[in-house]
Amino acid sequence: MEFRIDGSELTDAVAWAARVLPARSPVPVLGGLLLEARDGRLRVSGLDYEASARIEVEAETVREGRALVLGRRLLDICKVLPKGPVESAIEGARLSVTGGDARFGLSLLPLDDYPAQPELPAFRGVVEADAFAAAVGQVAVAAGRDDSLPVLTGIRLALDGSTMTLAATDRYRYAVRALEWKPEGEGGGEAGADVVVPARRLTEIARSLASAAGPVRLALDGGSIGFESGGTRTTTRLLDGRLPRHDKLFSLGEHAVAVTERAPLVEAVKRVAVVAEGDSPVQLAFTPDAVHLQAGYEDDVASQRLAAALEGAEAMTVAFNPGYLLDALGSFDTDTVRLHLLGPGQRALITDRADGRHQHLLMSVKPLV
C-alpha cells in the first residue's frame, strides 16, 4: 500500500475515526485504525465493542492495499507533521509516514485478528446535521453520569411520523427537544421507534456531523443506530431499557408563568451563586414586574433584581440548584425564557416559546429563609 494526501486532510480523517477507539482494551487490535487505499480514496476505520467509525477522503493511490496501525500513535504523528503533502507506504513490517523532512515508522498490527466493521442498520430517514446537533446538545445536559444506572446515561430518540423527539433525565431534571426529520426508506414511512442511545457517544457523533453540515442519513434496528453523511459513517450500540415517560411530569395543570430575558438571568444566577456553597440554592422571587434573585451561605449573601413578567399569581418564590438552573438556561438559544411554576418544592418547567418544542423540567427546592 502506498498513497499521498494533504497532511491536514489525513489528520482530520484519523482524528474522526479515532474517536471510537477504547482508552484501554484487552484486545490490542481494537486500538488500531484500519487504512485502506484504493481508487483514489483513503478509507480510515476504527471500532470497539460499542461503536464504529469510518471516513473516506480523496488521496492519490500509488499502490492499493490495507494496513492496521495503532490509532492514537498515528494521530499523535499526524498532529506534529509539517504542513503540506504526506506520503505513506508499507515497508516491510512497518507503515512509513513522511511529511517534509520528518519521517516516522509504525509497526503493523495483524490484519487477520481485526474484526469486520459492522454494517449499517436499516435506513430510516434523513435529518439536517446542524439541527440534530443543536437538539442533542440541548438535552444532553440532563443526561445522568452514574454508570450504575446505564439507561439514565442515555438520550431517548423517538421517531413518530415526521417528528423526532430527543430526551434525557438524571432523575433530578428532564430535558426534551422535538425537531423535524424526513422518514424515508424501507424502515421509514409510518414505522416509529423509541430507543436509548449513549449520551456521550451521541454527543460526539452529533458534533462531528455538524462540522460537515448538510443532511444526515439515520439508520436503526433493535440493537444499534447508525449515521451517514458524505464520506463518513458511524454506528453505536443502543442501551437496554427505557427512560421514564415525561408526558405526565410535564403536565402541570394550573400554574403561574414568568417570562424574562435569558442572557441577563444567566448572568445574574452566576453572579449571586458566587456566595452559594455546595448545594445551596439560588432563590427567585417573582412579582408582577420583576424577579429578585438571592443566594447565601451563613453570613455571606448576594442579590440582584431583573425585569420580568408574572402571570397566574400575584407572587411566586422558587429556588433551584444553581448548577442545574444554569445548565437548563444555557441549553436554550432564545432571547427570552418562560418559567412555568407550581410553587416552592415542586416541578418547574422552562420553555423557549409557546409551542413547547424545547422543554426542561427542574425540581425546585426549599427557598432561603
Side-chain angles (χ1 to χ4, degrees):
M1 181 184 75
E2 184 175 355
F3 63 88
R4 298 187 184 97
I5 188 173
D6 180 79
S8 62
E9 293 186 5
L10 178 63
T11 301
D12 290 345
V14 170
W16 197 90
R19 294 177 306 103
V20 300
L21 297 182
R24 296 181 182 85
S25 174
V27 184
V29 293
L30 290 184
L33 286 179
L34 179 63
L35 279 64
E36 301 173 271
R38 180 178 294 107
D39 300 329
R41 308 283 291 177
L42 175 67
R43 176 185 293 179
V44 185
S45 308
L47 57 80
D48 70 0
Y49 292 114
E50 303 297 330
S52 72
R54 190 182 78 189
I55 182 170
E56 288 190 7
V57 293
E58 292 185 1
E60 180 185 347
T61 306
V62 180
R63 188 170 69 251
E64 294 185 353
R66 306 162 74 224
L68 182 67
V69 295
L70 285 175
R72 299 192 188 280
R73 179 66 55 81
L74 177 59
L75 180 57
D76 289 341
I77 289 172
C78 289
K79 289 178 178 179
V80 298
L81 284 170
K83 292 183 179 179
V86 172
E87 297 183 5
S88 183
I90 293 178
E91 298 176 354
R94 288 189 178 89
L95 178 73
S96 68
V97 181
T98 304
D101 295 328
R103 181 180 174 86
F104 299 86
L106 277 174
S107 298
L108 296 174
L109 299 175
L111 281 168
D112 291 343
D113 297 338
Y114 194 65
Q117 282 271 319
E119 295 295 326
L120 275 177
F123 172 54
R124 303 296 294 270
V126 175
V127 63
E128 287 299 317
D130 52 356
F132 180 69
V136 171
Q138 288 172 322
V139 302
V141 295
R145 307 291 189 269
D146 186 357
D147 290 333
S148 65
L149 297 169
V151 71
L152 295 184
T153 66
I155 292 176
R156 177 189 177 215
L157 189 152
L159 305 176
D160 183 9
S162 61
T163 300
M164 175 187 295
T165 302
L166 301 171
T169 180
D170 61 1
R171 296 184 299 179
Y172 304 104
R173 55 244 178 107
Y174 204 136
V176 176
R177 178 69 163 87
L179 69 157
E180 297 297 318
W181 84 303
K182 186 178 181 181
E184 293 178 356
E186 295 182 4
E190 299 300 322
D194 194 340
V195 298
V196 181
V197 189
R200 182 178 64 84
R201 295 283 193 192
L202 189 58
T203 301
E204 290 177 350
I205 291 169
R207 286 174 179 168
S208 65
L209 293 172
S211 63
V216 175
R217 289 164 51 94
L218 186 150
L220 181 66
D221 61 21
S224 64
I225 189 168
F227 300 89
E228 187 174 52
S229 177
T232 66
R233 52 160 281 188
T234 184
T235 66
T236 188
R237 290 189 180 182
L238 302 174
L239 292 174
D240 294 329
R242 293 286 183 268
L243 292 185
R245 303 288 296 187
H246 66 272
D247 310 68
K248 291 184 178 179
L249 286 173
F250 284 39
S251 179
L252 301 184
E254 185 176 347
H255 64 279
V257 178
V259 181
T260 188
E261 293 187 22
R262 186 184 67 87
L265 181 58
V266 169
E267 292 304 314
V269 173
K270 290 179 179 178
R271 191 170 292 121
V272 301
V274 167
V275 299
E277 185 75 19
D279 294 331
S280 178
V282 169
Q283 177 176 291
L284 285 73
F286 289 95
T287 60
D289 61 355
V291 55
H292 299 262
L293 288 85
Q294 182 179 347
Y297 182 74
E298 296 182 346
D299 293 331
D300 300 329
V301 295
S303 63
Q304 184 172 345
R305 179 186 183 277
L306 295 175
L310 179 68
E311 298 178 357
E314 293 185 0
M316 177 71 71
T317 298
V318 291
F320 300 101
N321 175 301
Y324 288 175
L325 180 57
L326 287 172
D327 282 345
L329 294 173
S331 69
F332 291 88
D333 56 10
T334 49
D335 292 337
T336 61
V337 288
R338 302 163 63 91
L339 289 84
H340 305 255
L341 307 170
L342 287 171
Q346 300 189 61
R347 304 188 308 280
L349 187 65
I350 304 175
T351 64
D352 53 355
R353 54 178 69 90
D355 63 12
R357 296 186 71 80
H358 181 194
Q359 305 176 83
H360 197 115
L361 188 79
L362 291 175
M363 286 300 299
S364 62
V365 297
K366 185 178 178 181
L368 300 171
V369 177

